[in-house]
Amino acid sequence: MSLEAVVLVGGKGTRLRPLTIDTPKPMLPLAGVPFLTHQLARARAAGVEHVVLATSYRPEVFEAHFGDGADLGLRLEYVTEVEPLGTGGGIRNVAGRLESDPDDPVLILNGDILSGHDIAAQLELHRSSGAAVTLHLVEVADPRAFGCVPTDAAGRVAAFLEKMPDPVTTQVNAGCYVFARRVIDAIPTGRPVSVERDTFPGLLAAGEVVTGYLDSSYWLDVGTPAAFVQGSADVVRGLLASPALPGTTGESLVLGGAAVDPSAVLSGGTVVGPGARIEAEAQVQGSIIAAGAVVGPGTTIVDSIVAPHASIGGRCSLRQVVVADRARLGERVELTAGARVWPDIELPDVAIRFSSDA
């Protein structure tokens, strides 16, 4: 039986708006390709052959891009969630497309986690421990923002604890699981179910083995603009290896059809998408300049995202900014402190600072 995976890609990506108004979060370009491509390529490298995408928001975008998955060496299927079902309900909703036997492992990936952990090793631990579920765990410096997952000396999960001011462990759920197929089939149908609050605690109460796979490799939730652009830059610079990177690692990645003036400076893992144009003496650091976008002469862009076909005028300054699709900025516009420019907005030539949503 071929190894199977479920990827949960149904979220609306609210924290990434306005980038996600037209594009589902997993389809936003990260290091030159849709974010989901990195996850699928890593799953394939771990031996996965069959993937079911659990979609909800803008489901047609996924199939239009990936088709049957043959280009990635995968067999892809798509199941759309009509009503919100939570993480557990979303997994259960695709069970009819799975082909594995009751005790076979099924890899579950959360569609907004960029991770370098060893998926094959997690699968091997699952098999050797006889676990019902094996969770990828990471240690974080400040676990107060997370539910924490303490384990015993043998690596068995002892509890799933909600956020607390004084956590008992720095280990947190990293969003990648291996389920025994029978556990998926036992999730209730037709209603929302949370794996974190319902499924996992229920398994512990029933005496099932739930194992933690602790791995200290690269891990990042890319659900915010700052994290998304950081993840892209990290992949371009080689801090996280991805078999889907469409080029070599370095200070920048310039994709086919892009035009970069020789006097422009690209650094910090910047990506320049197909057909984009970077004009004379522009400086772009750690940013995503998407397909068809234009950066004017003398403009400085740092840790920002410029979406497809947006246009930035000359001598502008953008720091930690999102400029959405087709937006147009005039000359000398200065944007800082998390400003977000929505699709099709035009900002005239100004010499003042915008630091709130525009």
Side-chain angles (χ1 to χ4, degrees), residues 76-110:
L76 289 183
E77 295 189 69
Y78 306 83
V79 175
T80 299
E81 181 180 307
V82 178
E83 297 292 335
L85 294 172
T87 49
I91 295 168
R92 181 65 179 87
N93 192 51
V94 309
R97 301 293 183 91
L98 298 176
E99 301 164 355
S100 45
D101 292 330
D103 290 322
D104 287 339
V106 179
L107 180 69
I108 311 292
L109 295 171
N110 189 318

Side-chain angles (χ1 to χ4, degrees), residues 302-317:
V302 178
D303 299 340
S304 297
I305 301 173
V306 179
H309 306 292
S311 176
I312 313 299
R315 298 180 299 283
C316 293
S317 176

